[in-house]
mmCIF file of all heavy atoms in Angstrom:
data_model
loop_
_atom_site.group_PDB
_atom_site.id
_atom_site.type_symbol
_atom_site.label_atom_id
_atom_site.label_comp_id
_atom_site.label_asym_id
_atom_site.label_seq_id
_atom_site.Cartn_x
_atom_site.Cartn_y
_atom_site.Cartn_z
ATOM 1 N N ILE A 146 0.836 -1.187 0.000
ATOM 2 C CA ILE A 146 0.000 0.000 0.000
ATOM 3 C C ILE A 146 0.874 1.241 0.000
ATOM 4 O O ILE A 146 1.918 1.281 0.657
ATOM 5 C CB ILE A 146 -0.966 -0.012 1.214
ATOM 6 C CG1 ILE A 146 -1.994 1.108 1.112
ATOM 7 C CG2 ILE A 146 -0.190 0.056 2.534
ATOM 8 C CD1 ILE A 146 -3.145 0.967 2.105
ATOM 9 N N SER A 147 0.453 2.239 -0.752
ATOM 10 C CA SER A 147 1.169 3.506 -0.774
ATOM 11 C C SER A 147 0.878 4.298 0.493
ATOM 12 O O SER A 147 -0.029 3.975 1.259
ATOM 13 C CB SER A 147 0.761 4.321 -2.007
ATOM 14 O OG SER A 147 -0.616 4.673 -1.947
ATOM 15 N N TRP A 148 1.658 5.342 0.721
ATOM 16 C CA TRP A 148 1.479 6.154 1.923
ATOM 17 C C TRP A 148 0.070 6.730 2.015
ATOM 18 O O TRP A 148 -0.534 6.747 3.097
ATOM 19 C CB TRP A 148 2.519 7.279 1.968
ATOM 20 C CG TRP A 148 2.436 8.115 3.210
ATOM 21 C CD1 TRP A 148 3.073 7.901 4.391
ATOM 22 C CD2 TRP A 148 1.655 9.302 3.396
ATOM 23 N NE1 TRP A 148 2.746 8.869 5.311
ATOM 24 C CE2 TRP A 148 1.879 9.754 4.726
ATOM 25 C CE3 TRP A 148 0.799 10.043 2.575
ATOM 26 C CZ2 TRP A 148 1.271 10.894 5.246
ATOM 27 C CZ3 TRP A 148 0.191 11.178 3.102
ATOM 28 C CH2 TRP A 148 0.430 11.593 4.407
ATOM 29 N N SER A 149 -0.447 7.205 0.900
ATOM 30 C CA SER A 149 -1.772 7.813 0.883
ATOM 31 C C SER A 149 -2.890 6.785 0.996
ATOM 32 O O SER A 149 -4.027 7.148 1.322
ATOM 33 C CB SER A 149 -1.965 8.619 -0.395
ATOM 34 O OG SER A 149 -1.991 7.774 -1.521
ATOM 35 N N GLY A 150 -2.584 5.522 0.704
ATOM 36 C CA GLY A 150 -3.592 4.482 0.691
ATOM 37 C C GLY A 150 -4.344 4.370 -0.616
ATOM 38 O O GLY A 150 -5.179 3.468 -0.772
ATOM 39 N N GLU A 151 -4.066 5.260 -1.557
ATOM 40 C CA GLU A 151 -4.805 5.260 -2.816
ATOM 41 C C GLU A 151 -4.370 4.159 -3.769
ATOM 42 O O GLU A 151 -5.116 3.829 -4.693
ATOM 43 C CB GLU A 151 -4.679 6.618 -3.511
ATOM 44 C CG GLU A 151 -3.291 6.938 -4.037
ATOM 45 C CD GLU A 151 -3.220 8.326 -4.637
ATOM 46 O OE1 GLU A 151 -2.972 9.279 -3.865
ATOM 47 O OE2 GLU A 151 -3.421 8.471 -5.859
ATOM 48 N N SER A 152 -3.170 3.604 -3.562
ATOM 49 C CA SER A 152 -2.671 2.545 -4.429
ATOM 50 C C SER A 152 -2.368 1.305 -3.604
ATOM 51 O O SER A 152 -1.658 1.376 -2.602
ATOM 52 C CB SER A 152 -1.409 2.993 -5.167
ATOM 53 O OG SER A 152 -1.667 4.115 -5.989
ATOM 54 N N THR A 153 -2.894 0.162 -4.039
ATOM 55 C CA THR A 153 -2.626 -1.113 -3.387
ATOM 56 C C THR A 153 -2.323 -2.169 -4.432
ATOM 57 O O THR A 153 -2.689 -2.032 -5.599
ATOM 58 C CB THR A 153 -3.813 -1.584 -2.530
ATOM 59 O OG1 THR A 153 -4.973 -1.736 -3.368
ATOM 60 C CG2 THR A 153 -4.120 -0.581 -1.429
ATOM 61 N N HIS A 154 -1.657 -3.239 -4.008
ATOM 62 C CA HIS A 154 -1.339 -4.331 -4.901
ATOM 63 C C HIS A 154 -1.279 -5.617 -4.094
ATOM 64 O O HIS A 154 -0.828 -5.607 -2.950
ATOM 65 C CB HIS A 154 -0.009 -4.091 -5.615
ATOM 66 C CG HIS A 154 0.307 -5.106 -6.660
ATOM 67 N ND1 HIS A 154 -0.372 -5.168 -7.851
ATOM 68 C CD2 HIS A 154 1.217 -6.115 -6.682
ATOM 69 C CE1 HIS A 154 0.104 -6.163 -8.567
ATOM 70 N NE2 HIS A 154 1.068 -6.751 -7.883
ATOM 71 N N TYR A 155 -1.719 -6.725 -4.708
ATOM 72 C CA TYR A 155 -1.787 -8.001 -4.024
ATOM 73 C C TYR A 155 -1.150 -9.114 -4.838
ATOM 74 O O TYR A 155 -1.197 -9.106 -6.074
ATOM 75 C CB TYR A 155 -3.243 -8.381 -3.749
ATOM 76 C CG TYR A 155 -3.977 -7.397 -2.887
ATOM 77 C CD1 TYR A 155 -4.668 -6.328 -3.447
ATOM 78 C CD2 TYR A 155 -3.972 -7.529 -1.501
ATOM 79 C CE1 TYR A 155 -5.338 -5.414 -2.649
ATOM 80 C CE2 TYR A 155 -4.637 -6.621 -0.698
ATOM 81 C CZ TYR A 155 -5.317 -5.568 -1.279
ATOM 82 O OH TYR A 155 -5.978 -4.664 -0.478
ATOM 83 N N ALA A 156 -0.574 -10.071 -4.132
ATOM 84 C CA ALA A 156 -0.141 -11.289 -4.791
ATOM 85 C C ALA A 156 -1.361 -12.025 -5.330
ATOM 86 O O ALA A 156 -2.445 -11.980 -4.738
ATOM 87 C CB ALA A 156 0.618 -12.180 -3.814
ATOM 88 N N ASP A 157 -1.183 -12.706 -6.457
ATOM 89 C CA ASP A 157 -2.309 -13.422 -7.052
ATOM 90 C C ASP A 157 -2.920 -14.441 -6.092
ATOM 91 O O ASP A 157 -4.132 -14.681 -6.121
ATOM 92 C CB ASP A 157 -1.863 -14.131 -8.329
ATOM 93 C CG ASP A 157 -1.602 -13.171 -9.475
ATOM 94 O OD1 ASP A 157 -2.075 -12.030 -9.424
ATOM 95 O OD2 ASP A 157 -0.928 -13.587 -10.437
ATOM 96 N N SER A 158 -2.102 -15.016 -5.237
ATOM 97 C CA SER A 158 -2.559 -16.051 -4.333
ATOM 98 C C SER A 158 -3.532 -15.549 -3.269
ATOM 99 O O SER A 158 -4.271 -16.342 -2.689
ATOM 100 C CB SER A 158 -1.364 -16.729 -3.655
ATOM 101 O OG SER A 158 -0.610 -15.791 -2.913
ATOM 102 N N VAL A 159 -3.541 -14.239 -3.015
ATOM 103 C CA VAL A 159 -4.415 -13.689 -1.979
ATOM 104 C C VAL A 159 -5.428 -12.699 -2.521
ATOM 105 O O VAL A 159 -6.299 -12.239 -1.769
ATOM 106 C CB VAL A 159 -3.607 -13.024 -0.845
ATOM 107 C CG1 VAL A 159 -2.581 -13.995 -0.279
ATOM 108 C CG2 VAL A 159 -2.927 -11.749 -1.341
ATOM 109 N N LYS A 160 -5.338 -12.373 -3.787
ATOM 110 C CA LYS A 160 -6.232 -11.388 -4.386
ATOM 111 C C LYS A 160 -7.688 -11.824 -4.229
ATOM 112 O O LYS A 160 -8.045 -12.964 -4.508
ATOM 113 C CB LYS A 160 -5.872 -11.200 -5.857
ATOM 114 C CG LYS A 160 -6.526 -9.999 -6.518
ATOM 115 C CD LYS A 160 -5.952 -9.774 -7.920
ATOM 116 C CE LYS A 160 -4.471 -9.456 -7.875
ATOM 117 N NZ LYS A 160 -3.911 -9.194 -9.225
ATOM 118 N N GLY A 161 -8.504 -10.894 -3.775
ATOM 119 C CA GLY A 161 -9.908 -11.175 -3.552
ATOM 120 C C GLY A 161 -10.211 -11.708 -2.173
ATOM 121 O O GLY A 161 -11.385 -11.759 -1.771
ATOM 122 N N ARG A 162 -9.184 -12.110 -1.428
ATOM 123 C CA ARG A 162 -9.367 -12.630 -0.074
ATOM 124 C C ARG A 162 -8.781 -11.717 0.992
ATOM 125 O O ARG A 162 -9.312 -11.625 2.093
ATOM 126 C CB ARG A 162 -8.729 -14.017 0.062
ATOM 127 C CG ARG A 162 -9.325 -15.059 -0.876
ATOM 128 C CD ARG A 162 -8.794 -16.451 -0.549
ATOM 129 N NE ARG A 162 -7.347 -16.546 -0.738
ATOM 130 C CZ ARG A 162 -6.483 -16.851 0.217
ATOM 131 N NH1 ARG A 162 -6.922 -17.103 1.458
ATOM 132 N NH2 ARG A 162 -5.185 -16.931 -0.052
ATOM 133 N N PHE A 163 -7.668 -11.061 0.681
ATOM 134 C CA PHE A 163 -6.986 -10.191 1.631
ATOM 135 C C PHE A 163 -7.184 -8.735 1.238
ATOM 136 O O PHE A 163 -7.342 -8.411 0.049
ATOM 137 C CB PHE A 163 -5.486 -10.480 1.662
ATOM 138 C CG PHE A 163 -5.091 -11.796 2.262
ATOM 139 C CD1 PHE A 163 -6.021 -12.774 2.564
ATOM 140 C CD2 PHE A 163 -3.752 -12.049 2.519
ATOM 141 C CE1 PHE A 163 -5.643 -13.990 3.111
ATOM 142 C CE2 PHE A 163 -3.356 -13.257 3.070
ATOM 143 C CZ PHE A 163 -4.294 -14.226 3.365
ATOM 144 N N ALA A 164 -7.148 -7.852 2.218
ATOM 145 C CA ALA A 164 -7.243 -6.421 1.968
ATOM 146 C C ALA A 164 -6.284 -5.672 2.887
ATOM 147 O O ALA A 164 -6.313 -5.859 4.104
ATOM 148 C CB ALA A 164 -8.667 -5.926 2.178
ATOM 149 N N ILE A 165 -5.440 -4.847 2.302
ATOM 150 C CA ILE A 165 -4.509 -4.039 3.070
ATOM 151 C C ILE A 165 -5.075 -2.626 3.194
ATOM 152 O O ILE A 165 -5.667 -2.097 2.253
ATOM 153 C CB ILE A 165 -3.110 -4.031 2.415
ATOM 154 C CG1 ILE A 165 -2.094 -3.336 3.325
ATOM 155 C CG2 ILE A 165 -3.145 -3.392 1.032
ATOM 156 C CD1 ILE A 165 -0.649 -3.488 2.841
ATOM 157 N N SER A 166 -4.899 -2.032 4.353
ATOM 158 C CA SER A 166 -5.366 -0.676 4.588
ATOM 159 C C SER A 166 -4.454 -0.012 5.610
ATOM 160 O O SER A 166 -3.619 -0.675 6.232
ATOM 161 C CB SER A 166 -6.824 -0.662 5.063
ATOM 162 O OG SER A 166 -6.952 -1.355 6.294
ATOM 163 N N ARG A 167 -4.613 1.294 5.792
ATOM 164 C CA ARG A 167 -3.780 1.989 6.763
ATOM 165 C C ARG A 167 -4.519 3.157 7.365
ATOM 166 O O ARG A 167 -5.433 3.728 6.770
ATOM 167 C CB ARG A 167 -2.464 2.448 6.114
ATOM 168 C CG ARG A 167 -2.616 3.511 5.040
ATOM 169 C CD ARG A 167 -1.301 3.690 4.268
ATOM 170 N NE ARG A 167 -0.206 4.091 5.136
ATOM 171 C CZ ARG A 167 1.083 4.017 4.813
ATOM 172 N NH1 ARG A 167 1.436 3.528 3.638
ATOM 173 N NH2 ARG A 167 2.001 4.410 5.680
ATOM 174 N N ASP A 168 -4.101 3.513 8.558
ATOM 175 C CA ASP A 168 -4.601 4.673 9.261
ATOM 176 C C ASP A 168 -3.373 5.431 9.742
ATOM 177 O O ASP A 168 -2.798 5.099 10.776
ATOM 178 C CB ASP A 168 -5.498 4.271 10.429
ATOM 179 C CG ASP A 168 -6.136 5.464 11.111
ATOM 180 O OD1 ASP A 168 -5.624 6.590 10.976
ATOM 181 O OD2 ASP A 168 -7.160 5.271 11.791
ATOM 182 N N ASN A 169 -2.976 6.420 8.970
ATOM 183 C CA ASN A 169 -1.751 7.142 9.295
ATOM 184 C C ASN A 169 -1.858 7.909 10.606
ATOM 185 O O ASN A 169 -0.851 8.137 11.281
ATOM 186 C CB ASN A 169 -1.378 8.093 8.156
ATOM 187 C CG ASN A 169 -0.901 7.361 6.920
ATOM 188 O OD1 ASN A 169 -0.639 6.151 6.962
ATOM 189 N ND2 ASN A 169 -0.785 8.070 5.810
ATOM 190 N N GLY A 170 -3.070 8.299 10.970
ATOM 191 C CA GLY A 170 -3.270 8.978 12.237
ATOM 192 C C GLY A 170 -2.970 8.090 13.429
ATOM 193 O O GLY A 170 -2.631 8.587 14.506
ATOM 194 N N LYS A 171 -3.092 6.776 13.248
ATOM 195 C CA LYS A 171 -2.803 5.804 14.297
ATOM 196 C C LYS A 171 -1.466 5.104 14.084
ATOM 197 O O LYS A 171 -1.125 4.201 14.840
ATOM 198 C CB LYS A 171 -3.913 4.762 14.389
ATOM 199 C CG LYS A 171 -5.265 5.320 14.793
ATOM 200 C CD LYS A 171 -6.305 4.214 14.903
ATOM 201 C CE LYS A 171 -7.644 4.766 15.346
ATOM 202 N NZ LYS A 171 -8.672 3.697 15.444
ATOM 203 N N ASN A 172 -0.737 5.501 13.054
ATOM 204 C CA ASN A 172 0.548 4.878 12.728
ATOM 205 C C ASN A 172 0.404 3.367 12.572
ATOM 206 O O ASN A 172 1.257 2.592 13.031
ATOM 207 C CB ASN A 172 1.594 5.183 13.806
ATOM 208 C CG ASN A 172 1.949 6.652 13.887
ATOM 209 O OD1 ASN A 172 1.609 7.442 13.004
ATOM 210 N ND2 ASN A 172 2.646 7.024 14.949
ATOM 211 N N THR A 173 -0.655 2.945 11.905
ATOM 212 C CA THR A 173 -0.976 1.521 11.831
ATOM 213 C C THR A 173 -1.386 1.111 10.424
ATOM 214 O O THR A 173 -2.110 1.837 9.741
ATOM 215 C CB THR A 173 -2.103 1.169 12.813
ATOM 216 O OG1 THR A 173 -1.707 1.536 14.145
ATOM 217 C CG2 THR A 173 -2.403 -0.318 12.791
ATOM 218 N N VAL A 174 -0.909 -0.061 10.008
ATOM 219 C CA VAL A 174 -1.306 -0.702 8.763
ATOM 220 C C VAL A 174 -1.978 -2.018 9.114
ATOM 221 O O VAL A 174 -1.567 -2.702 10.057
ATOM 222 C CB VAL A 174 -0.096 -0.937 7.841
ATOM 223 C CG1 VAL A 174 -0.495 -1.752 6.622
ATOM 224 C CG2 VAL A 174 0.494 0.390 7.406
ATOM 225 N N TYR A 175 -3.002 -2.374 8.351
ATOM 226 C CA TYR A 175 -3.779 -3.576 8.626
ATOM 227 C C TYR A 175 -3.743 -4.536 7.446
ATOM 228 O O TYR A 175 -3.558 -4.138 6.295
ATOM 229 C CB TYR A 175 -5.240 -3.226 8.908
ATOM 230 C CG TYR A 175 -5.427 -2.231 10.023
ATOM 231 C CD1 TYR A 175 -5.566 -0.874 9.753
ATOM 232 C CD2 TYR A 175 -5.457 -2.650 11.352
ATOM 233 C CE1 TYR A 175 -5.735 0.042 10.779
ATOM 234 C CE2 TYR A 175 -5.623 -1.740 12.378
ATOM 235 C CZ TYR A 175 -5.763 -0.399 12.090
ATOM 236 O OH TYR A 175 -5.930 0.503 13.113
ATOM 237 N N LEU A 176 -3.939 -5.801 7.739
ATOM 238 C CA LEU A 176 -4.151 -6.806 6.707
ATOM 239 C C LEU A 176 -5.352 -7.639 7.122
ATOM 240 O O LEU A 176 -5.259 -8.454 8.042
ATOM 241 C CB LEU A 176 -2.925 -7.693 6.515
ATOM 242 C CG LEU A 176 -3.042 -8.706 5.377
ATOM 243 C CD1 LEU A 176 -3.063 -7.995 4.027
ATOM 244 C CD2 LEU A 176 -1.894 -9.712 5.418
ATOM 245 N N GLN A 177 -6.475 -7.411 6.459
ATOM 246 C CA GLN A 177 -7.669 -8.205 6.690
ATOM 247 C C GLN A 177 -7.585 -9.453 5.835
ATOM 248 O O GLN A 177 -7.462 -9.358 4.611
ATOM 249 C CB GLN A 177 -8.925 -7.407 6.343
ATOM 250 C CG GLN A 177 -10.224 -8.185 6.509
ATOM 251 C CD GLN A 177 -10.512 -8.531 7.942
ATOM 252 O OE1 GLN A 177 -10.405 -7.679 8.821
ATOM 253 N NE2 GLN A 177 -10.865 -9.785 8.202
ATOM 254 N N MET A 178 -7.649 -10.614 6.451
ATOM 255 C CA MET A 178 -7.507 -11.885 5.757
ATOM 256 C C MET A 178 -8.799 -12.674 5.905
ATOM 257 O O MET A 178 -9.184 -13.044 7.013
ATOM 258 C CB MET A 178 -6.325 -12.675 6.308
ATOM 259 C CG MET A 178 -5.004 -11.917 6.281
ATOM 260 S SD MET A 178 -3.598 -12.928 6.815
ATOM 261 C CE MET A 178 -4.060 -13.208 8.527
ATOM 262 N N ASN A 179 -9.453 -12.919 4.790
ATOM 263 C CA ASN A 179 -10.693 -13.672 4.765
ATOM 264 C C ASN A 179 -10.513 -14.955 3.964
ATOM 265 O O ASN A 179 -9.575 -15.092 3.186
ATOM 266 C CB ASN A 179 -11.815 -12.841 4.142
ATOM 267 C CG ASN A 179 -12.100 -11.570 4.898
ATOM 268 O OD1 ASN A 179 -12.079 -11.547 6.128
ATOM 269 N ND2 ASN A 179 -12.403 -10.498 4.172
ATOM 270 N N SER A 180 -11.435 -15.883 4.148
ATOM 271 C CA SER A 180 -11.403 -17.159 3.427
ATOM 272 C C SER A 180 -10.029 -17.804 3.501
ATOM 273 O O SER A 180 -9.465 -18.238 2.494
ATOM 274 C CB SER A 180 -11.823 -16.947 1.968
ATOM 275 O OG SER A 180 -13.119 -16.385 1.879
ATOM 276 N N LEU A 181 -9.494 -17.871 4.693
ATOM 277 C CA LEU A 181 -8.138 -18.373 4.878
ATOM 278 C C LEU A 181 -8.018 -19.838 4.489
ATOM 279 O O LEU A 181 -8.933 -20.632 4.709
ATOM 280 C CB LEU A 181 -7.696 -18.168 6.320
ATOM 281 C CG LEU A 181 -7.308 -16.730 6.664
ATOM 282 C CD1 LEU A 181 -7.298 -16.522 8.167
ATOM 283 C CD2 LEU A 181 -5.935 -16.406 6.068
ATOM 284 N N LYS A 182 -6.870 -20.163 3.921
ATOM 285 C CA LYS A 182 -6.554 -21.511 3.476
ATOM 286 C C LYS A 182 -5.339 -22.033 4.234
ATOM 287 O O LYS A 182 -4.522 -21.249 4.705
ATOM 288 C CB LYS A 182 -6.247 -21.519 1.975
ATOM 289 C CG LYS A 182 -7.341 -20.939 1.100
ATOM 290 C CD LYS A 182 -6.885 -20.874 -0.349
ATOM 291 C CE LYS A 182 -7.963 -20.287 -1.235
ATOM 292 N NZ LYS A 182 -7.511 -20.204 -2.659
ATOM 293 N N PRO A 183 -5.185 -23.352 4.348
ATOM 294 C CA PRO A 183 -4.001 -23.893 5.020
ATOM 295 C C PRO A 183 -2.690 -23.365 4.435
ATOM 296 O O PRO A 183 -1.727 -23.173 5.188
ATOM 297 C CB PRO A 183 -4.143 -25.403 4.810
ATOM 298 C CG PRO A 183 -5.614 -25.616 4.742
ATOM 299 C CD PRO A 183 -6.142 -24.416 3.993
ATOM 300 N N GLU A 184 -2.641 -23.121 3.140
ATOM 301 C CA GLU A 184 -1.432 -22.618 2.516
ATOM 302 C C GLU A 184 -1.114 -21.173 2.893
ATOM 303 O O GLU A 184 -0.045 -20.666 2.547
ATOM 304 C CB GLU A 184 -1.492 -22.758 0.989
ATOM 305 C CG GLU A 184 -2.736 -22.159 0.365
ATOM 306 C CD GLU A 184 -3.810 -23.195 0.074
ATOM 307 O OE1 GLU A 184 -4.046 -24.062 0.947
ATOM 308 O OE2 GLU A 184 -4.404 -23.144 -1.016
ATOM 309 N N ASP A 185 -2.029 -20.498 3.595
ATOM 310 C CA ASP A 185 -1.754 -19.167 4.117
ATOM 311 C C ASP A 185 -0.945 -19.216 5.408
ATOM 312 O O ASP A 185 -0.514 -18.171 5.900
ATOM 313 C CB ASP A 185 -3.051 -18.408 4.378
ATOM 314 C CG ASP A 185 -3.833 -18.117 3.107
ATOM 315 O OD1 ASP A 185 -3.199 -17.760 2.089
ATOM 316 O OD2 ASP A 185 -5.072 -18.234 3.138
ATOM 317 N N THR A 186 -0.757 -20.397 5.965
ATOM 318 C CA THR A 186 -0.002 -20.545 7.201
ATOM 319 C C THR A 186 1.430 -20.057 7.011
ATOM 320 O O THR A 186 2.138 -20.521 6.121
ATOM 321 C CB THR A 186 -0.003 -22.006 7.658
ATOM 322 O OG1 THR A 186 -1.334 -22.407 7.989
ATOM 323 C CG2 THR A 186 0.885 -22.192 8.880
ATOM 324 N N ALA A 187 1.845 -19.119 7.845
ATOM 325 C CA ALA A 187 3.174 -18.525 7.732
ATOM 326 C C ALA A 187 3.365 -17.504 8.839
ATOM 327 O O ALA A 187 2.426 -17.150 9.554
ATOM 328 C CB ALA A 187 3.348 -17.841 6.369
ATOM 329 N N VAL A 188 4.590 -17.036 8.975
ATOM 330 C CA VAL A 188 4.863 -15.860 9.780
ATOM 331 C C VAL A 188 4.694 -14.650 8.878
ATOM 332 O O VAL A 188 5.318 -14.564 7.822
ATOM 333 C CB VAL A 188 6.282 -15.881 10.379
ATOM 334 C CG1 VAL A 188 6.568 -14.579 11.120
ATOM 335 C CG2 VAL A 188 6.431 -17.074 11.317
ATOM 336 N N TYR A 189 3.850 -13.729 9.288
ATOM 337 C CA TYR A 189 3.565 -12.538 8.494
ATOM 338 C C TYR A 189 4.364 -11.361 9.028
ATOM 339 O O TYR A 189 4.320 -11.057 10.223
ATOM 340 C CB TYR A 189 2.070 -12.226 8.520
ATOM 341 C CG TYR A 189 1.273 -13.144 7.627
ATOM 342 C CD1 TYR A 189 1.097 -14.479 7.950
ATOM 343 C CD2 TYR A 189 0.714 -12.673 6.436
ATOM 344 C CE1 TYR A 189 0.395 -15.333 7.116
ATOM 345 C CE2 TYR A 189 0.003 -13.516 5.605
ATOM 346 C CZ TYR A 189 -0.159 -14.848 5.942
ATOM 347 O OH TYR A 189 -0.863 -15.687 5.116
ATOM 348 N N HIS A 190 5.087 -10.706 8.133
ATOM 349 C CA HIS A 190 5.940 -9.583 8.479
ATOM 350 C C HIS A 190 5.448 -8.306 7.831
ATOM 351 O O HIS A 190 5.081 -8.289 6.660
ATOM 352 C CB HIS A 190 7.379 -9.833 8.021
ATOM 353 C CG HIS A 190 8.061 -10.968 8.709
ATOM 354 N ND1 HIS A 190 8.826 -10.787 9.841
ATOM 355 C CD2 HIS A 190 8.101 -12.295 8.429
ATOM 356 C CE1 HIS A 190 9.311 -11.957 10.219
ATOM 357 N NE2 HIS A 190 8.882 -12.891 9.386
ATOM 358 N N CYS A 191 5.478 -7.243 8.590
ATOM 359 C CA CYS A 191 5.202 -5.916 8.086
ATOM 360 C C CYS A 191 6.512 -5.264 7.664
ATOM 361 O O CYS A 191 7.556 -5.485 8.291
ATOM 362 C CB CYS A 191 4.521 -5.087 9.181
ATOM 363 S SG CYS A 191 4.137 -3.392 8.727
#
């Protein structure tokens, strides 16, 4: 995700299931993960 939040991009493997967003006022970035699959198992790094 870009600083402004206006531009985002996803890996094909998660497109349509995951959503990245940010709240700069809270100094926080989020990753909403839906329809999770066993192959999503991993350590996730920001």
Side-chain angles (χ1 to χ4, degrees):
I146 189 168
S147 64
W148 183 89
S149 67
E151 69 183 87
S152 299
T153 60
H154 186 71
Y155 300 90
D157 288 342
S158 60
V159 306
K160 192 172 297 182
R162 299 188 297 120
F163 291 10
I165 188 171
S166 62
R167 66 191 300 164
D168 185 339
N169 290 348
K171 296 182 178 179
N172 295 347
T173 302
V174 173
Y175 304 96
L176 184 68
Q177 178 66 47
M178 305 185 295
N179 300 321
S180 302
L181 284 163
K182 304 175 180 179
E184 53 262 43
D185 295 319
T186 295
V188 175
Y189 284 70
H190 295 268
C191 179

